[in-house]
């Protein structure tokens, strides 16, 4: 559904935040050691995603929420597959 509301390039930028989400989930459940140095690098990636979000001309909140929930689901799948 996100493709109906957002541009493909914008969706790809949001998908760029997957590394941030996966790292945060891994650190939250204790699967990976939390390191401030890694967290800073991950935040730089996240900052780039935020800048892409603010620069989007055709931004629709519903499309963004669809893509965000899809991204969260995908990242949870990656984390759980790594754990099992």
């Amino acid at each position: 559904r996100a493709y109906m509301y957002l541009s493909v390039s914008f969706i790809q930028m949001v998908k760029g935040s997957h590394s941030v989400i996966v790292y945060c989930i891994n650190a939250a459940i204790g699967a990976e050691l939390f390191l401030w140095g890694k967290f800073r690098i991950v935040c730089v990636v996240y900052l780039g995603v935020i800048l892409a979000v603010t620069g989007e001309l055709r931004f629709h909140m519903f499309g963004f929420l669809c893509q965000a929930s899809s991204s969260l689901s995908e990242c949870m799948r990656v984390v759980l597959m790594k754990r099992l």
Side-chain angles (χ1 to χ4, degrees), residues 3 11 23 27 36 38 62 64 67-68 70 73 84:
Y3 287 97
I11 290 172
Y23 179 71
W36 280 106
K38 259 189 187 179
F62 180 73
F64 176 73
Q67 184 58 41
S70 172
S73 299
L84 301 176

Side-chain angles (χ1 to χ4, degrees), residues 27-38:
I29 65 172
E32 192 170 330
L33 186 62
F34 180 82
L35 300 171
W36 280 106
K38 259 189 187 179

